[in-house]
Amino acid sequence: DAMVIQNPRYQVTQFGKPVTLSCSQTLNHNVMYWYQQKSSQAPKLLFHYYDKDFNNEADTPDNFQSRRPNTSFCFLDIRSPGLGDAAMYLCATSRLAGGPDTQYFGPGTRLTVL
Amino acid sequence: GQNIDQPTEMTATEGAIVQINCTYQTSGFNGLFWYQQHAGEAPTFLSYNVLDGLEEKGRFSSFLSRSKGYSYLLLKELQMKDSASYLCAVRDSNYQLIWGAGTKLIIKP
């Protein structure tokens, strides 16, 4: 089945220790998104790629970086995680950025910062 | 600023009908989405409205009034598995999705 896969599902890191979350997709979608979601809050878009074009949200901290080496894979790097970065990180894809194309989400990675 | 408003929490009884409202104020409008999110899981797509009116999909229906900046999600014949958060999201003029914080729906037997 075509899908969006995130690894790991649960990640524990220490304060200030870099961590990388990964996302892969078999949908061959052009657009990949990274969201941060805290409990009972709306997903917050961090950035997205339209093919290789990177689009950073204005309020995304510099601590968050992303890489998309090819169509299928996208990575979220948190250079120095703080306690406030503990959250669910959701990867999503869409075929296009507009129209009725919906975003398809992976299962998420829950990040704990100790 | 851009804003999506939904009730924080609603409670309903198994077998009943519930309507979850969403009002929005965004820079432009290019469609409204409803997603279902079970606790600890990713959102899953439920419905998409871009024109005024009602879209029906099985037990779920979604309504849109663009002039009023208003939508609702109607869930019929509620089942225990419908206990989840329901997120309203609007695509703005830049084709960015603006998300509501979600409505937590609690189903009681």
Side-chain angles (χ1 to χ4, degrees):
Chain A
D1 286 340
M3 57 176 58
V4 183
I5 302 162
Q6 290 188 246
N7 286 304
R9 294 291 309 277
Y10 300 91
Q11 176 74 56
V12 180
T13 190
Q14 292 180 333
F15 184 95
K17 184 175 181 182
V19 66
T20 295
L21 310 182
S22 73
C23 176
S24 63
Q25 54 130 340
T26 61
L27 297 160
N28 204 32
H29 282 172
N30 301 95
V31 193
M32 294 187 78
Y33 308 80
W34 278 106
Y35 287 91
Q36 179 194 65
Q37 188 180 27
K38 298 186 177 181
S39 182
S40 302
Q41 295 184 19
K44 178 182 182 301
L45 181 65
L46 297 174
F47 22 60
H48 73 277
Y49 278 92
Y50 192 111
D51 291 329
K52 287 191 175 294
D53 293 333
F54 177 70
N55 298 273
N56 196 34
E57 293 301 299
D59 57 354
T60 298
D62 292 340
N63 197 26
F64 292 86
Q65 302 286 319
S66 184
R67 297 169 281 136
R68 188 179 186 186
N70 54 53
T71 302
S72 301
F73 285 87
C74 196
F75 300 97
L76 170 61
D77 301 308
I78 309 176
R79 293 192 296 189
S80 182
L83 298 179
D85 297 328
M88 176 76 89
Y89 289 88
L90 296 165
C91 173
T93 72
S94 68
R95 192 167 60 89
L96 298 170
D101 286 312
T102 70
Q103 294 185 15
Y104 295 88
F105 284 84
T109 295
R110 181 164 296 282
L111 178 67
T112 300
V113 181
L114 300 177
Chain B
Q2 307 204 85
N3 197 48
I4 309 281
D5 283 318
Q6 311 177 227
T8 303
E9 187 174 295
M10 298 181 71
T11 302
T13 305
E14 190 177 15
I17 299 172
V18 71
Q19 178 175 310
I20 302 174
N21 296 324
C22 170
T23 58
Y24 62 89
Q25 291 176 308
T26 56
S27 302
F29 178 85
N30 282 294
L32 184 144
F33 297 81
W34 283 96
Y35 280 80
Q36 180 191 60
Q37 187 175 27
H38 285 100
E41 298 182 11
T44 56
F45 169 76
L46 287 179
S47 69
Y48 170 76
N49 294 72
V50 67
L51 299 176
D52 290 350
L54 189 68
E55 294 280 342
E56 297 187 76
K57 198 185 280 189
R59 292 190 299 116
F60 293 5
S61 304
S62 57
F63 172 83
L64 173 67
S65 169
R66 288 171 295 170
S67 62
K68 295 182 180 177
Y70 168 70
S71 172
Y72 68 73
L73 181 69
L74 191 71
L75 291 77
K76 302 176 186 175
E77 301 169 15
L78 285 170
Q79 302 175 9
M80 297 303 292
K81 67 178 182 180
D82 297 330
S83 292
S85 286
Y86 291 85
L87 295 102
C88 174
V90 173
R91 182 177 282 144
D92 69 9
S93 57
N94 293 319
Y95 289 93
Q96 295 293 336
L97 268 186
I98 312 301
W99 292 84
T103 298
K104 183 178 181 181
L105 178 63
I106 299 167
I107 310 294
K108 295 187 174 179

